[in-house]
Every structure is written in C-alpha cells, then in structure tokens.
Amino acid sequence: MLKKNIVLIGFMGCGKTTFGRKLAKRYKCEFIDTDKFIEAEQGMSVQDIFEKKGEPYFRELEKELCKKISEKNGYVIATGGGIIKNDENMECLGKNGVIVYLKASPEHIFRNIGHDSSRPLLQGKNKMKKIRQLMAERIPTYEKNADVTINTAGQTVNRITNRMYERLKKYNMKKICVIHGPNLNFTGIRERGIYGTKTLDDINKYIIEEGNRLGFEIEVFQSNYEGAIIDRLQKCYYDKVDGIVINPGAFTHYSYAIRDAIASVQIPTVEVHLSNIHQRDEFRHKSVTAPACIGQLCGFGEYGYIMAINAIKNRAKIR
Ligand code: DQA
C-alpha cells in the first residue's frame, strides 16, 4: 500500500501516463491523469478548453485539482505538462507526494508525440524546434522539484517501471521507531549471560535489515535518560511514525512518565525485553509501561524486536 502519492512530472510525451498506469497496478492503487481528469470534469478535450476558454482558464482548473490532490493519499498521479510552471501547484503536490521526474531527450519526445496533432502547445510546423524550446524552459523547474529523477531512455517500459519501484521503496515505506532505554548501550558488555554478547550496534543492524525486509523503514534511538525517551516518543507523534518498539530497560518497572508518553502518542507500540523478566528478580515482574502497549515480548533476545515488528505489521493488516 502506498503511504504517499507518487507524482510523475516531465515533458509531454515522456511516458507519464504509461508509467503511471504500470506503477498504479504494481501498488494496487488508483491512477489519476490530471489532463484526463479535467477533460472528464469539463466534458471537453484539453485542446477544446484551450481554444474555447483560453490557457489561463485551464491553468486555474489545474490549480484547483492540485489542491484537491494534496488532501488525498495513495494515488499515482500523472501531471499535465504545464502543472509544474506554478510553484503553488508543486508545493501542494509535494506536501504528501514523492515527485518523480521522468527525464527524456527531445528526440525521444519527438518519436513519442511528433505525430500527435492533439497537443495544443505543439501545433504548426517545426515541432522539433518547439519541443527543444519548451523543454529548455521547463527542465530547470523539473529538476528543482524532483525528489527522484528517472531516465526513461533506452530500456523497456517494464524495466524502467521496476527501476522506479525500487527507487521509490524508501519513500513509501512505513516507519517504525525502535527505542532502547537505559544501559542497553552496554549490551555486549553488561551481564552477558543474561543479555548476550552482541553489542547494541550489532543488534540495531540486525533490526534494520530484518525490518527493511518486512517492508519498514527503521529508526533506532537509545538514551539513558527518561526525559530524552519521552521526547523521542513525542517526536514519533509529530513524525507520524507507524509503529514503536520500545525496550524501556529498568524504566519498565517504575516510569509512569514513559507509560503516559506511550499512551499519549496513540501509535501501536510493542514492549520488548531481551531477557525473560518474569524469571528474574521480583521487582522486574511488574511492567508499568506494558499496559499502554499493544503487547509485550520478553525472553527471546534480539529476535524479540523482529517479532515486535511483525506484530505491528500484522496488526496494521487487520485494522
Ligand atoms: C531489560 C530488562 C530490565 O529489567 C532491565 O532493567 C534492563 C533490560 C531486558 O531487555 O531484558 O535493562 O529491559
């Protein structure tokens, strides 16, 4: 599932519709072609709108549509060639979208649309010259706005779509924040018989790799301070993180402040402990933080973090 919109920009004829359809199929989401959308709404072709109502009228319709799109999520959008000329449009589209610039040479464009008489800005003779001129004007704007640039030359549509899909993965992954509490930076040094021999860096590397494999972007954080952990939890709220995995260390057993922070952010949170806290000292049997979480896992070493990520993944599916 797409978390953001994918917004394709690029010169007319660069393949925004073709690639957009393919990508939407891949993401199993809806595809919007802004020109086609406006044509359907107005009941006439773009060319007719240009002729009968003028270009400024059409640009106004584009502006309105960009505003509407900025309130939606999870669409692949092919933009009409002129949308990028307006900074406000690009700001709207970039707010909840990844902007993908499909780069193509003038020759490539001419091959694709040289024969097409329905393009209002390419009427008359010497199309190649017009393409070059218009492209030179627009390229700086495409480049300025692009989060990702994809070269569309020389490969099959399927291969380019695959490349795009791979490049876009990181922008559209759901995010999980893994928080380690006090003394966990000493893992691998402290009480190895209980917490194992791996360092926290080793464990984090493992969590990031496995987390990515499960389709999540993973952020890791460690602090020995209660306040810093609370600040990090609150940041998760503002960053719209999709899940939290937390090992609050000894704070588990007495920090009502961390318990309240977990409850405040309203993000699915799983509590993890490397050791089985129920087999250990009496004071470790109680967790004041677990009731604010969707569940607790303990006694599985670092694998517990992966189980927690899986738990968040499956919970998201059920919801
Ligand atoms: C721990 C268990 C806590 O009781 C202890 O204070 C820790 C680590 C664990 O991962 O097993 O620091 O959270």
Side-chain angles (χ1 to χ4, degrees), residues 6 20 39 41 44 47 52 66 76-77 104 106 116 134 140 161 203 206 209 231 245 264 295 306 311:
I6 304 274
E39 282 181 340
E41 248 187 7
M44 58 176 125
Q47 195 175 5
K52 299 201 173 104
C66 289
V76 175
I77 298 146
D116 184 352
L134 267 178
T161 311
I203 293 176
Y206 168 65
E209 269 171 25
D231 286 347
V245 175
S264 308
I306 314 307

Side-chain angles (χ1 to χ4, degrees), residues 182 184 190 195 247 249-250 252-253 272-275 277 280 284:
L184 287 157
R190 75 190 283 223
Y195 300 119
N247 181 346
T252 306
H253 315 299
V272 171
H273 298 284
L274 294 165
S275 64
I277 54 174
R280 301 181 61 200
R284 295 186 205 274

Side-chain angles (χ1 to χ4, degrees), residues 198-216:
K198 286 197 180 140
T199 65
L200 188 63
D201 279 351
D202 291 338
I203 293 176
N204 280 337
K205 206 167 155 247
Y206 168 65
I207 298 172
I208 291 168
E209 269 171 25
E210 291 297 309
N212 290 166
R213 223 171 39 80
L214 289 165
F216 290 97

